[in-house]
Amino acid sequence: MDWQIILDILPSVLLEGLLLGLVYAMIALGYSMVYGVLGLINFAHSEVFMIGAVAGAEVMIGCVHAGPAAALVLALLAGALVSGMLAVLIERVAYRPLRRRASKVRLVPLITAIGVSFFLQDAARLYLGLVHDDFYRVYPNFELLERTMDLPLQATIQGKGIVLMGVAALMLGVLWFLVVRTPMGRAIRAVAQDREAASLMGIDPDRVITRTFFLGGCLGGVAGVLFGLLYTQINPYSGFFPGIKAFTAAVLGGIGSIPGAALGGLFLGVLEIMGGTYLPLVSDGNIGTEYKDIFAFAVLIAILLFKPSGLLGRGHVEKV
Amino acid sequence: MWKKSRTLGGGMIPLLAAAIAGSFWLLLDPGSTLAFLVWLAAVLLTLAWEGRPRLRWALGAVLLLVVLPMAGMANSFLLELTVQIGIYAAMALGLNVVVGLAGLLDLGYAAFFAVGAYTWAIFGSAQAAAFLGGTFPLPGGYFYLFLFIAVITTALVGVLIGLPALRLRGDYLAIVTLAMGEVVRVLANNLDHPINITNGPQGITPIARPPIGWFSDLLGSVGLVLPAYIWYPLFFYLLVLLLIGLITLVNVRLSDSPLGRAWVAIREDEVAARAMGIPLLRTKLMAFATGAAFSGTMGVVFAAKQLFVSPESFTLVQSILILTMVILGGMGSIRGAIVGAALVTVLNLQVLKSLSEYLNVLRQSGAVLDLGFWRYDLSALPTQLEPAKYERLVFGVILVAMMIWRPEGLLPSRRASLELHQGE
């Protein structure tokens, strides 16, 4: 084992982890916000992310002659809109009828969410099969986005990496502004705190919930397009692992907390890339990258056991 | 008030008609899928029917022990299919303990099936020699012993997975079990190095089957002379029936026991249950271990029947498949779990597959669909469009539809149907 190698590649490993982490952070916010207002783990959010990525791919392939900037902007817009509307649709069709009935059985919404998630995976597959007679979509290559730039410490970054960082930072900033500084954000926070009291203050919870789903969906869709840019290929099952890792990130940071979700996402992204790169090196290839997907699970289990409220979350006392 | 009609209490005549029609049709034409479906409908109706216990038992025995084995001799695929249904039914019964009775949403249930299957696969094949040395496979007779060993190993794994997971509240538990299920699959996929325990993605084959000389002797001694190729399918069919019987018995006895009541209490209100002195973690662990043990036993049967196991058989889709069965039948309902398993398996293995084949025929026929205003060349049907591959879509629709319109399931347990329709 060579410590020098490990040290040499550290900057690029960290950078790659940071990029992946930003994607996780954006997805994690969708889980976190929905959990905040509904107390529901929206399993279908990973598919909202995936469908955003597919929509982005479609638009980008369609606009391939319009140049990288236009194609990128349109793809991001399409991803955000399609995912946002899809999330709202899911809430209307699947979750709202359950809320109306106010069933006491807690498993009901959760099982519905799993059903929606499975349904959407194959619905996307059906779409790809019917329209393209294919199983996946590939993001087009733009020279500008592929070009690499040298950074200090032998690290390099591609054009799309810079785009990813910029867009992600912008989205996180906008979201923070919306939630913390606008009346809509205040309404969302109020519903998250106490739905009944909020509705007594003249807030329509259903409207707030719809908006929350839309915002979360938009973020997920943009994350999907960025993820597609980074890893180029998207298939109907691409959402599963990023989804579950992002959920882990949300729990890690403290579910319901926006900075927490961002922090958790970054941490997991860096952890995953570091583990995937270094474990084979450290173990002489005996333990390989194939275990990278289960780091997130190990983190999830550890955090739930030792600090269930997450890094930045507040403790939760169940009142009877 | 109890309305009899809701529980099919009055449906004796349609039941008998279905049973007789299905039986004769199946015996006359064992290759017909439709005949099998009618027979299956008769079995499920017998199960759902609430009148005349003696007639019900007699009818069930004739349908299961006489009609199907006889038809199966002409078409052994029928036995294969019913064994598959049976394995799923047994697993659904196991998951029903965890999800239905104790209210713990386990999304990694296939992991226990995997542990059971690999327990026999590793020792019932040459695989164990790869890391233990010595002479393997074990003689096939060990199969019977391993049915019990798997109960112990999977129950242990259930406790191991449950210990961290079950401290969590309901919705976190779902995610953690899902994660654990994936971990088991990833391990099965990758433990071919540095030490080769599971043989990785290639899977393990051939796996020993139990010697069934005694079984064919037994058949011979009652005057049945059967072709040799039918022995194993018939043996597995009867074995699975026996195991389902046993598991059902355990299920019924458990759900009426103090432990079963403790599970229901936890499901209804964890805080209140604890206040009543129920040890939460231990009681939940019991539910987990019980469900795991059922699944593990069926894993051993599965490994011996298939002669082959690989990580592919134990994915999240499998876990959701079994969950769908439990939800469709009705959480907490024993008969529901069996009915759900039969319906979902048939849908998955028969209906979707037939649709795929039908589409293939259409594609190759080169016919043109002509609606006057719209023409469609059927040979242009996308090849990616294969209903057999859209199982997730089907499970998703079933799960969502059931949760919205009939959360208590098709054959609800009495308690669930009262609870979910309060004040209607």
Side-chain angles (χ1 to χ4, degrees):
Chain A
M1 195 178 53
D2 193 349
W3 288 106
Q4 196 54 45
I5 298 178
I6 290 185
L7 219 58
D8 281 347
I9 60 176
L10 185 64
S12 33
V13 167
L14 283 179
L15 192 66
E16 201 184 329
L18 181 75
L19 294 181
L20 187 61
L22 282 170
V23 173
Y24 289 163
M26 293 171 75
I27 313 172
L29 282 167
Y31 281 106
S32 203
M33 284 167 44
V34 167
Y35 194 91
V37 293
L38 281 186
L40 165 75
I41 298 176
N42 181 13
F43 268 92
H45 193 57
S46 50
E47 276 59 51
V48 168
F49 159 82
M50 175 271 294
I51 287 175
V54 172
E58 296 291 19
V59 169
M60 212 154 176
I61 293 169
C63 304
V64 85
H65 297 298
L72 191 64
V73 170
L74 287 175
L76 287 169
L77 274 179
L81 277 181
V82 168
S83 290
M85 284 178 337
L86 179 68
V88 171
L89 187 73
I90 293 170
E91 197 274 326
R92 276 284 159 85
V93 174
Y95 301 154
R96 193 169 291 183
L98 303 177
R99 239 176 19 252
R100 290 273 176 275
R101 209 178 43 221
S103 162
K104 276 196 309 183
V105 182
R106 210 180 29 204
L107 294 185
V108 168
L110 202 55
I111 292 171
T112 313
I114 296 166
V116 173
S117 153
F118 261 58
F119 170 81
L120 286 176
Q121 288 180 3
D122 267 358
R125 183 172 180 167
L126 189 64
Y127 162 80
L128 290 176
L130 277 180
V131 176
H132 301 292
D133 197 3
D134 212 338
F135 178 63
Y136 55 84
R137 296 265 81 191
V138 180
Y139 272 74
N141 258 330
F142 287 105
E143 198 274 328
L144 185 68
L145 295 178
E146 301 296 322
R147 196 183 296 163
T148 52
M149 210 173 83
D150 288 327
L151 297 178
L153 295 168
Q154 299 174 357
T156 56
I157 187 165
Q158 281 182 309
K160 54 191 183 184
I162 298 175
V163 168
L164 192 152
M165 280 201 225
V167 174
L170 182 73
M171 291 299 286
L172 294 178
V174 168
L175 183 82
W176 180 83
F177 178 78
L178 282 179
V179 172
V180 177
R181 288 290 158 86
T182 62
M184 177 178 85
R186 198 178 307 134
I188 291 179
R189 281 179 291 139
V191 170
Q193 255 179 22
D194 189 332
R195 199 189 306 167
E196 216 165 297
S199 73
L200 290 175
M201 301 297 130
I203 295 169
D204 176 1
D206 276 343
R207 222 161 94 195
V208 169
I209 288 168
T210 303
R211 285 177 175 177
T212 311
F213 269 86
F214 185 77
L215 277 182
C218 283
L219 271 177
V222 170
V225 177
L226 296 175
F227 184 81
L229 270 184
L230 204 58
Y231 293 97
T232 65
Q233 209 189 72
I234 289 294
N235 71 53
Y237 309 129
S238 298
F240 175 71
F241 273 116
I244 196 165
K245 286 171 194 163
F247 173 77
T248 305
V251 175
L252 178 64
I255 200 147
S257 150
I258 292 181
L263 194 70
L266 290 178
F267 178 82
L268 264 189
V270 171
L271 180 82
E272 179 181 332
I273 301 288
M274 278 181 96
T277 317
Y278 287 146
L279 261 190
L281 282 177
V282 173
S283 66
D284 290 326
N286 282 328
I287 304 173
T289 8
E290 59 272 11
Y291 290 101
K292 79 177 163 60
D293 285 335
I294 60 181
F295 293 139
F297 302 149
V299 170
L300 177 67
I301 290 160
I303 197 85
L304 284 174
L305 281 181
F306 298 112
K307 197 165 184 328
S309 57
L311 297 176
L312 301 184
R314 269 164 301 171
H316 171 77
V317 181
E318 195 164 335
K319 279 167 266 178
V320 189
Chain B
M1 287 304 292
W2 270 117
K3 274 180 266 160
K4 273 247 156 181
S5 59
R6 261 192 89 167
T7 50
L8 297 168
M12 191 167 93
I13 291 164
L15 169 62
L16 284 176
I20 293 168
S23 302
F24 276 103
W25 192 1
L26 194 61
L27 288 174
L28 289 174
D29 183 7
S32 157
T33 307
L34 220 52
F36 173 75
L37 292 182
V38 176
W39 172 85
L40 188 67
V43 174
L44 298 183
L45 283 173
T46 314
L47 199 67
W49 190 43
E50 292 217 324
R52 302 227 190 175
R54 242 184 254 161
L55 181 63
R56 197 166 57 157
W57 278 103
L59 203 57
V62 171
L63 284 173
L64 288 173
L65 295 177
V66 180
V67 175
L68 194 87
M70 279 173 71
M73 280 167 215
N75 176 10
S76 64
F77 175 71
L78 288 179
L79 290 171
E80 286 280 323
L81 187 60
T82 34
V83 166
Q84 200 60 52
I85 293 176
I87 289 179
Y88 280 130
M91 293 215 287
L93 282 167
L95 188 62
N96 184 45
V97 170
V98 184
V99 177
L101 288 183
L104 308 165
L105 189 53
D106 181 355
L107 298 184
Y109 193 61
F112 303 127
F113 189 49
V115 171
Y118 270 100
T119 307
W120 175 237
I122 287 171
F123 292 99
S125 71
Q127 180 61 30
F131 64 101
L132 286 180
T135 48
F136 287 99
L138 292 173
Y142 277 90
F143 170 81
Y144 303 107
L145 180 64
F146 266 74
L147 283 178
F148 295 98
I149 292 183
V151 168
I152 298 166
T153 50
T154 44
L156 276 178
V157 173
V159 170
L160 270 182
I161 290 183
L163 260 179
L166 288 172
R167 293 171 200 274
L168 306 167
R169 287 191 312 116
D171 25 9
Y172 285 129
L173 176 71
I175 291 264
V176 170
T177 48
L178 185 156
M180 295 279 202
E182 279 301 301
V183 169
V184 168
R185 190 184 61 80
V186 170
L187 285 180
N189 218 355
N190 292 306
L191 276 185
D192 51 350
H193 64 98
I195 314 166
N196 186 1
I197 298 176
T198 63
N199 207 25
Q202 294 99 320
I204 299 175
T205 193
I207 298 163
R209 284 182 158 181
I212 51 166
W214 62 271
F215 179 67
S216 48
D217 288 348
L218 191 74
L219 291 179
S221 69
V222 292
L224 280 170
V225 185
L226 302 176
Y229 68 85
I230 211 79
W231 287 344
Y232 268 113
L234 194 59
F235 168 76
F236 279 116
Y237 173 74
L238 293 173
L239 179 69
V240 167
L241 269 190
L242 181 74
L243 288 174
I244 292 185
L246 265 176
I247 290 175
T248 310
L249 191 68
V250 174
N251 242 303
V252 173
R253 299 295 294 150
L254 274 178
S255 64
D256 290 339
S257 73
L259 183 62
R261 282 164 205 275
W263 286 337
V264 173
I266 289 180
R267 181 187 72 192
E268 296 302 313
D269 189 335
E270 224 168 77
V271 180
R274 188 154 67 180
M276 292 293 134
I278 294 173
L280 283 190
L281 187 62
R282 204 196 312 158
T283 315
K284 286 181 179 179
L285 275 179
M286 287 296 292
F288 236 58
T290 312
F294 291 164
S295 186
T297 314
M298 296 326 282
V300 174
V301 176
F302 175 80
K305 180 184 90 80
Q306 297 292 97
L307 302 167
F308 169 70
V309 298
S310 82
E312 282 302 296
S313 312
F314 313 104
T315 55
L316 174 68
V317 181
Q318 285 288 314
S319 299
I320 303 292
L321 170 79
I322 301 161
L323 180 71
T324 310
M325 294 167 179
V326 175
I327 302 292
L328 184 66
M331 279 186 274
S333 156
I334 290 167
R335 295 177 309 161
I338 298 176
V339 171
L343 292 180
V344 176
T345 314
V346 165
L347 192 64
N348 200 11
L349 292 183
Q350 280 285 292
V351 179
L352 289 184
K353 215 157 100 190
S354 314
L355 268 178
S356 277
E357 281 160 11
Y358 179 66
L359 276 182
N360 252 331
V361 172
L362 279 185
R363 213 172 271 138
Q364 277 152 18
S365 70
V368 176
L369 189 69
D370 195 350
L371 296 175
F373 56 94
W374 185 62
R375 288 168 57 85
Y376 189 78
D377 187 359
L378 288 176
S379 61
L381 274 173
T383 47
Q384 281 286 327
L385 187 66
E386 246 194 83
K389 288 184 184 158
Y390 289 91
E391 43 189 10
R392 294 173 193 236
L393 192 110
V394 174
F395 303 159
V397 169
I398 293 179
L399 287 176
V400 176
M402 291 304 287
M403 285 298 106
I404 292 180
W405 288 298
R406 205 175 157 85
E408 73 274 27
L410 292 179
L411 274 186
S413 65
R414 193 158 296 192
R415 193 194 296 264
S417 68
L418 286 175
E419 221 165 68
L420 287 161
H421 289 281
Q422 264 170 353
E424 270 179 23

